[in-house]
Amino acid sequence: MKRFLMAFTLMLPLLANAANDIQQDNLFPTVEFETSKGTLVVELDRSRAPLTVDNFLRYAVDGAYDNTIFHRVIADFVVQGGGYDPDLNDVPERDQLVNESGSGLTNSLGTIAMARSNEPHSATNQFYFNLNDNYNLDPSSRRWGYAVFGEITEGEDILQQLGAVATKFSAELGAPNVPVEPLILKKVTLRPE
């Protein structure tokens, strides 16, 4: 029994690392977004946005996105989530990211990108899906863009359903374009390699 306990104790750090594995050697990890409207499958692009992909996957494997909401929906523009739970409590944030918007990836229909404030290096946990070709969100010689880090490979119809919901002004968030009926992000799962 003593040997078993010693072996188990030595394995605990390995189990902890396995639970938080973000597949750092996988250039194109795939994640599933289980939503209240159905499931989206997204291929991430670590070859062009390595910091952004690692950041997103750390939130995902830690369960930070589970049971959150898409809190901003603008038809033919974006569906944004990652920042609030259904009771409108903030999801805890990690450090801000260096903006990787100059990677060559564009804010085209069906891509996923990091939301941020007007400060270019302010993205943390919030992300959005593009409901249209939003090339005005890409960088130019005069401004930073919004960092794209993947694209939907399955479930484009689900994204369109998410983008078609009725919205309202939310006094709690002090923001327009909040879905009338909560859009739940039930779980984000990193698929095995």
Side-chain angles (χ1 to χ4, degrees), residues 136-182:
N136 60 314
L137 300 178
D138 293 339
S140 74
S141 61
R142 296 178 149 185
R143 61 171 162 59
W144 287 90
Y146 291 77
V148 175
F149 62 102
E151 67 181 316
I152 294 174
T153 57
E154 296 174 35
E156 293 89 349
D157 58 323
I158 302 301
L159 177 61
Q160 293 307 318
Q161 289 178 46
L162 292 170
V165 300
T167 62
K168 64 178 181 177
F169 179 84
S170 167
E172 295 90 352
L173 290 178
N177 309 112
V178 177
V180 173
E181 302 268 334

Coordinates of all heavy atoms in Angstrom, one line a residue, residues 136-182:
N136 N -12.8 45.0 -42.6 CA -12.5 46.2 -41.9 C -11.9 46.0 -40.5 O -11.4 46.9 -39.9 CB -13.8 47.1 -41.8 CG -14.9 46.4 -41.0 OD1 -15.2 45.2 -41.2 ND2 -15.5 47.1 -40.1
L137 N -12.0 44.7 -40.0 CA -11.4 44.4 -38.7 C -10.0 43.9 -38.8 O -9.3 43.7 -37.8 CB -12.2 43.3 -38.0 CG -13.7 43.7 -37.7 CD1 -14.4 42.5 -37.1 CD2 -13.8 44.9 -36.8
D138 N -9.5 43.8 -40.1 CA -8.1 43.4 -40.3 C -7.2 44.6 -40.2 O -7.6 45.7 -40.2 CB -8.0 42.8 -41.8 CG -8.7 41.5 -42.0 OD1 -9.0 40.8 -41.0 OD2 -9.0 41.2 -43.1
P139 N -5.9 44.3 -39.9 CA -5.0 45.4 -39.8 C -4.7 46.2 -41.1 O -4.9 45.6 -42.2 CB -3.7 44.7 -39.3 CG -3.8 43.4 -39.8 CD -5.2 43.0 -39.8
S140 N -4.3 47.4 -41.0 CA -3.8 48.2 -42.1 C -2.5 48.9 -41.8 O -2.0 48.7 -40.7 CB -4.9 49.2 -42.5 OG -4.9 50.3 -41.6
S141 N -2.0 49.6 -42.7 CA -0.8 50.3 -42.4 C -0.9 51.4 -41.3 O 0.0 51.9 -40.8 CB -0.2 50.9 -43.7 OG -1.1 51.9 -44.2
R142 N -2.2 51.8 -41.0 CA -2.5 52.8 -40.1 C -3.0 52.4 -38.7 O -3.2 53.1 -37.8 CB -3.5 53.8 -40.7 CG -2.9 54.5 -41.9 CD -4.0 55.4 -42.4 NE -3.4 56.5 -43.0 CZ -4.0 57.5 -43.5 NH1 -5.3 57.6 -43.4 NH2 -3.4 58.5 -44.1
R143 N -3.4 51.1 -38.6 CA -4.1 50.6 -37.4 C -3.9 49.1 -37.2 O -3.7 48.4 -38.1 CB -5.5 51.0 -37.4 CG -6.3 50.3 -38.5 CD -7.8 50.4 -38.3 NE -8.6 50.2 -39.5 CZ -8.6 49.1 -40.2 NH1 -7.9 48.1 -39.9 NH2 -9.3 48.9 -41.3
W144 N -4.0 48.7 -35.9 CA -4.0 47.3 -35.6 C -5.3 46.7 -35.9 O -6.3 47.4 -35.9 CB -3.8 47.2 -34.0 CG -2.4 47.4 -33.6 CD1 -1.9 48.7 -33.2 CD2 -1.3 46.5 -33.5 NE1 -0.5 48.5 -32.9 CE2 -0.2 47.2 -33.1 CE3 -1.2 45.1 -33.8 CZ2 1.1 46.6 -32.9 CZ3 0.0 44.5 -33.6 CH2 1.1 45.2 -33.2
G145 N -5.3 45.5 -36.2 CA -6.6 44.7 -36.4 C -7.0 43.9 -35.2 O -6.4 44.0 -34.1
Y146 N -7.9 42.9 -35.5 CA -8.3 42.0 -34.5 C -7.8 40.6 -34.9 O -8.0 40.2 -36.1 CB -9.8 42.0 -34.4 CG -10.4 43.3 -33.8 CD1 -10.4 44.4 -34.6 CD2 -10.8 43.3 -32.5 CE1 -10.9 45.6 -34.1 CE2 -11.3 44.5 -32.0 CZ -11.3 45.7 -32.7 OH -11.8 46.8 -32.2
A147 N -7.1 39.9 -34.0 CA -6.4 38.7 -34.3 C -7.3 37.5 -34.6 O -7.9 37.0 -33.7 CB -5.4 38.4 -33.2
V148 N -7.3 37.1 -35.8 CA -8.0 35.8 -36.2 C -7.0 34.7 -35.8 O -5.8 34.7 -36.0 CB -8.3 35.8 -37.7 CG1 -8.9 34.5 -38.2 CG2 -9.2 37.0 -38.1
F149 N -7.7 33.6 -35.3 CA -6.8 32.4 -34.9 C -7.4 31.1 -35.3 O -6.9 30.0 -34.9 CB -6.5 32.5 -33.4 CG -7.7 32.4 -32.5 CD1 -8.0 31.2 -31.8 CD2 -8.4 33.5 -32.2 CE1 -9.0 31.1 -31.0 CE2 -9.5 33.5 -31.4 CZ -9.8 32.3 -30.7
G150 N -8.5 31.0 -36.1 CA -9.0 29.8 -36.6 C -10.3 30.0 -37.4 O -10.7 31.1 -37.7
E151 N -10.8 28.8 -37.9 CA -12.1 28.9 -38.6 C -13.0 27.7 -38.4 O -12.5 26.6 -38.1 CB -11.8 29.1 -40.1 CG -11.1 27.9 -40.8 CD -10.8 28.1 -42.2 OE1 -11.7 28.6 -43.0 OE2 -9.7 27.7 -42.7
I152 N -14.2 27.9 -38.6 CA -15.2 26.8 -38.4 C -15.1 25.8 -39.6 O -15.0 26.2 -40.7 CB -16.7 27.4 -38.4 CG1 -16.9 28.3 -37.2 CG2 -17.7 26.3 -38.5 CD1 -18.2 29.0 -37.2
T153 N -15.0 24.5 -39.2 CA -15.0 23.5 -40.2 C -16.2 22.7 -40.3 O -16.5 22.0 -41.3 CB -13.8 22.5 -40.0 OG1 -13.9 22.0 -38.6 CG2 -12.4 23.2 -40.1
E154 N -17.0 22.7 -39.2 CA -18.4 22.1 -39.2 C -19.3 23.0 -38.3 O -18.9 23.5 -37.3 CB -18.3 20.7 -38.5 CG -17.4 19.7 -39.2 CD -17.3 18.4 -38.4 OE1 -18.3 18.0 -37.7 OE2 -16.2 17.8 -38.4
G155 N -20.5 23.1 -38.8 CA -21.5 23.8 -38.0 C -21.8 25.3 -38.5 O -22.2 26.1 -37.7
E156 N -21.5 25.6 -39.7 CA -21.7 26.9 -40.2 C -23.2 27.3 -40.0 O -23.5 28.5 -39.8 CB -21.3 27.1 -41.7 CG -19.8 27.0 -41.9 CD -19.3 25.5 -42.2 OE1 -20.1 24.6 -42.0 OE2 -18.2 25.4 -42.6
D157 N -24.1 26.3 -40.2 CA -25.5 26.6 -40.0 C -25.8 27.0 -38.6 O -26.7 27.8 -38.3 CB -26.3 25.4 -40.5 CG -26.0 24.1 -39.7 OD1 -24.8 23.9 -39.4 OD2 -26.9 23.3 -39.4
I158 N -25.1 26.4 -37.6 CA -25.3 26.7 -36.2 C -24.8 28.2 -36.0 O -25.5 28.9 -35.3 CB -24.5 25.8 -35.3 CG1 -24.9 24.3 -35.5 CG2 -24.6 26.2 -33.8 CD1 -26.4 24.0 -35.3
L159 N -23.7 28.6 -36.6 CA -23.3 30.0 -36.4 C -24.4 30.9 -37.0 O -24.6 31.9 -36.3 CB -22.0 30.2 -37.2 CG -21.4 31.6 -37.2 CD1 -21.1 32.1 -35.7 CD2 -20.2 31.8 -38.0
Q160 N -25.0 30.6 -38.1 CA -26.0 31.5 -38.6 C -27.2 31.5 -37.7 O -27.8 32.6 -37.5 CB -26.4 31.0 -40.0 CG -25.3 31.1 -41.1 CD -24.7 32.5 -41.1 OE1 -25.4 33.5 -41.1 NE2 -23.4 32.6 -41.2
Q161 N -27.5 30.4 -37.0 CA -28.6 30.4 -36.1 C -28.3 31.3 -34.9 O -29.1 32.1 -34.4 CB -28.9 29.0 -35.6 CG -29.6 28.1 -36.6 CD -29.8 26.7 -36.0 OE1 -30.3 26.6 -34.9 NE2 -29.5 25.7 -36.8
L162 N -27.0 31.2 -34.4 CA -26.6 32.1 -33.3 C -26.7 33.6 -33.7 O -27.1 34.4 -32.9 CB -25.2 31.8 -32.9 CG -24.9 30.4 -32.2 CD1 -23.4 30.2 -32.1 CD2 -25.6 30.3 -30.9
G163 N -26.4 33.9 -34.9 CA -26.4 35.2 -35.4 C -27.7 35.8 -35.7 O -27.8 37.0 -36.0
A164 N -28.8 35.0 -35.7 CA -30.1 35.4 -36.1 C -31.0 35.7 -34.9 O -32.2 35.9 -35.1 CB -30.7 34.4 -37.1
V165 N -30.5 35.6 -33.7 CA -31.4 35.7 -32.6 C -31.8 37.2 -32.3 O -31.1 38.1 -32.7 CB -30.8 35.1 -31.3 CG1 -30.5 33.7 -31.5 CG2 -29.5 35.9 -30.9
A166 N -32.9 37.4 -31.6 CA -33.4 38.7 -31.3 C -32.5 39.2 -30.1 O -32.0 38.5 -29.3 CB -34.8 38.7 -30.8
T167 N -32.2 40.5 -30.2 CA -31.3 41.2 -29.2 C -32.0 42.4 -28.6 O -33.0 42.8 -29.1 CB -30.0 41.6 -29.8 OG1 -30.2 42.6 -30.8 CG2 -29.2 40.4 -30.3
K168 N -31.4 42.9 -27.5 CA -32.0 44.0 -26.7 C -30.9 44.8 -26.1 O -29.7 44.3 -26.0 CB -33.0 43.6 -25.7 CG -32.3 42.7 -24.6 CD -33.3 42.3 -23.5 CE -32.5 41.4 -22.5 NZ -33.3 41.1 -21.4
F169 N -31.2 45.9 -25.5 CA -30.2 46.6 -24.6 C -30.3 46.0 -23.3 O -31.3 45.7 -22.7 CB -30.6 48.1 -24.5 CG -29.7 48.9 -23.6 CD1 -28.5 49.3 -24.1 CD2 -29.9 49.0 -22.3 CE1 -27.6 50.0 -23.3 CE2 -29.1 49.7 -21.4 CZ -27.9 50.2 -21.9
S170 N -29.1 45.7 -22.7 CA -29.0 45.1 -21.3 C -28.5 46.2 -20.4 O -27.4 46.7 -20.5 CB -28.0 43.9 -21.3 OG -27.7 43.6 -20.0
A171 N -29.4 46.5 -19.4 CA -29.0 47.5 -18.4 C -27.9 46.9 -17.5 O -27.0 47.7 -17.1 CB -30.2 47.9 -17.5
E172 N -27.9 45.6 -17.2 CA -26.9 45.0 -16.4 C -25.5 45.1 -17.0 O -24.5 45.3 -16.3 CB -27.2 43.5 -16.2 CG -28.5 43.2 -15.4 CD -29.7 43.1 -16.3 OE1 -29.6 43.3 -17.5 OE2 -30.7 42.7 -15.7
L173 N -25.4 44.9 -18.3 CA -24.1 45.0 -19.0 C -23.9 46.4 -19.5 O -22.8 46.8 -19.9 CB -24.0 44.0 -20.2 CG -23.9 42.6 -19.9 CD1 -23.9 41.7 -21.1 CD2 -22.7 42.3 -19.0
G174 N -24.9 47.2 -19.6 CA -24.8 48.6 -20.1 C -24.5 48.5 -21.6 O -23.7 49.3 -22.1
A175 N -25.1 47.6 -22.3 CA -24.7 47.3 -23.7 C -25.9 46.9 -24.6 O -26.8 46.3 -24.1 CB -23.6 46.2 -23.8
P176 N -25.9 47.3 -25.8 CA -26.9 46.9 -26.8 C -26.5 45.5 -27.3 O -25.5 44.9 -27.0 CB -26.9 47.9 -27.9 CG -25.4 48.3 -27.9 CD -25.0 48.3 -26.5
N177 N -27.4 44.9 -28.1 CA -27.1 43.7 -28.9 C -26.9 42.5 -28.0 O -26.1 41.5 -28.4 CB -25.8 43.9 -29.8 CG -25.9 45.1 -30.7 OD1 -25.2 46.1 -30.5 ND2 -26.9 45.1 -31.6
V178 N -27.5 42.4 -26.9 CA -27.5 41.3 -26.0 C -28.7 40.4 -26.3 O -29.8 40.9 -26.4 CB -27.5 41.7 -24.5 CG1 -27.5 40.5 -23.6 CG2 -26.3 42.6 -24.2
P179 N -28.5 39.1 -26.5 CA -29.6 38.2 -26.9 C -30.7 38.3 -25.8 O -30.4 38.3 -24.6 CB -29.0 36.8 -26.9 CG -27.5 37.1 -27.3 CD -27.2 38.4 -26.6
V180 N -32.0 38.3 -26.3 CA -33.1 38.3 -25.4 C -33.2 37.0 -24.7 O -33.4 37.0 -23.5 CB -34.4 38.5 -26.3 CG1 -35.7 38.3 -25.4 CG2 -34.4 39.9 -27.0
E181 N -33.0 35.9 -25.4 CA -32.9 34.6 -24.8 C -31.5 34.2 -24.7 O -30.8 34.3 -25.7 CB -33.6 33.5 -25.6 CG -35.1 33.8 -25.9 CD -36.0 33.1 -24.8 OE1 -35.6 32.1 -24.2 OE2 -37.1 33.7 -24.6
P182 N -30.9 33.8 -23.5 CA -29.5 33.5 -23.4 C -29.0 32.5 -24.4 O -29.7 31.5 -24.6 CB -29.4 33.0 -22.0 CG -30.5 33.6 -21.2 CD -31.7 33.7 -22.2

